[in-house]
Amino acid sequence: MTRTRMTASERGEEVLQAAVVAFAQSGYAATKTDEIARLAGVSQPYVIRLFGTKQQLFLAAVNHSCDRIEENFRVAASRVHADATPEERLAAIGPSYTNFLNERELPLILLHGFAASADPTIGTAVRTRFGGIYQIVRELTGASVEEVRMFMAMGMLLTDMTAMQLVGPDAIEMPWAAELIGDYGEA
């Protein structure tokens, strides 16, 4: 059997995917770079060589999560007809958030990023990225501040409920949860 060598970029992507899994499972503080290395099939020094520090690797995972949200929103917005109203644009990009929620580790990374925001470096990065998502929604939809505020609030509710396994492919059915999210859970 012939093994092909991966480029540093390909290996870095593998390490990042392993980091997403590990950080989603244990959070920033409890995750060790040894565990990430084991999941990626590389040495711990190699993880550090690729990303510098555990903090930089965590930020790469948070950025990956935020990039997926932005990508989903941009793709959905590109499919909306040019004369759509802001409400129609919000309605069009909203269901694309389900794609993000279905990648189970990504919403957990986002929540762990919020939880780790007391760290000045992580907090600055997370606040910047979340603000960027807000701005992208405003730009893509032309919606008012109030409309985007409600859109973002529902997104955060769905993110929290995904973490509690009340939304998503393996959702645990709870009558109060279905009532709380209404039609948004069917996106």
Side-chain angles (χ1 to χ4, degrees):
M1 180 168 93
T2 306
R3 239 176 97 176
T4 54
R5 286 184 60 88
M6 286 190 209
T7 66
S9 176
E10 291 168 332
R11 186 62 80 183
E13 186 59 34
E14 271 193 355
V15 171
L16 179 58
Q17 291 306 317
V20 165
V21 170
F23 286 129
Q25 194 169 58
S26 304
Y28 174 64
T31 300
K32 307 290 183 227
T33 54
D34 288 343
E35 174 65 13
I36 295 167
R38 187 187 64 71
L39 286 172
V42 299
S43 69
Q44 190 271 349
Y46 190 71
V47 170
I48 298 304
R49 189 171 346 138
L50 286 174
F51 289 92
T53 65
K54 179 175 106 169
Q55 183 184 66
Q56 290 170 318
L57 181 53
F58 181 70
L59 289 173
V62 168
N63 284 328
H64 175 71
S65 180
C66 292
D67 289 347
R68 289 291 294 136
I69 295 170
E70 292 175 7
E71 175 187 326
N72 287 332
F73 285 170
R74 288 183 193 285
V75 168
S78 73
R79 296 181 180 138
V80 177
H81 57 87
D83 57 342
T85 66
E87 293 80 15
E88 290 170 326
R89 291 176 187 283
L90 281 172
I93 69 169
S96 72
Y97 195 65
T98 302
N99 297 334
F100 170 77
L101 295 176
N102 287 336
E103 295 180 58
R104 178 115 177 96
E105 290 89 4
L106 296 182
L108 295 175
I109 290 291
L110 189 61
L111 292 173
H112 284 302
F114 297 154
S117 286
D119 175 292
T121 303
I122 293 172
T124 297
V126 169
R127 286 185 290 274
T128 299
R129 288 307 304 260
F130 194 77
I133 292 167
Y134 167 77
Q135 290 299 331
I136 286 170
V137 172
R138 294 269 340 255
E139 291 167 17
L140 293 174
T141 65
S144 71
V145 170
E146 180 62 27
E147 290 168 322
V148 176
R149 180 183 302 130
M150 294 306 295
F151 179 85
M152 298 287 286
M154 181 53 70
M156 286 311 306
L157 175 62
L158 291 171
T159 301
D160 292 342
M161 293 183 82
T162 297
M164 292 185 280
Q165 292 185 291
L166 296 168
V167 172
D170 298 324
I172 298 166
E173 291 188 35
M174 303 288 284
W176 66 264
E179 186 176 295
L180 181 60
I181 61 174
D183 294 339
Y184 291 101
E186 299 169 10

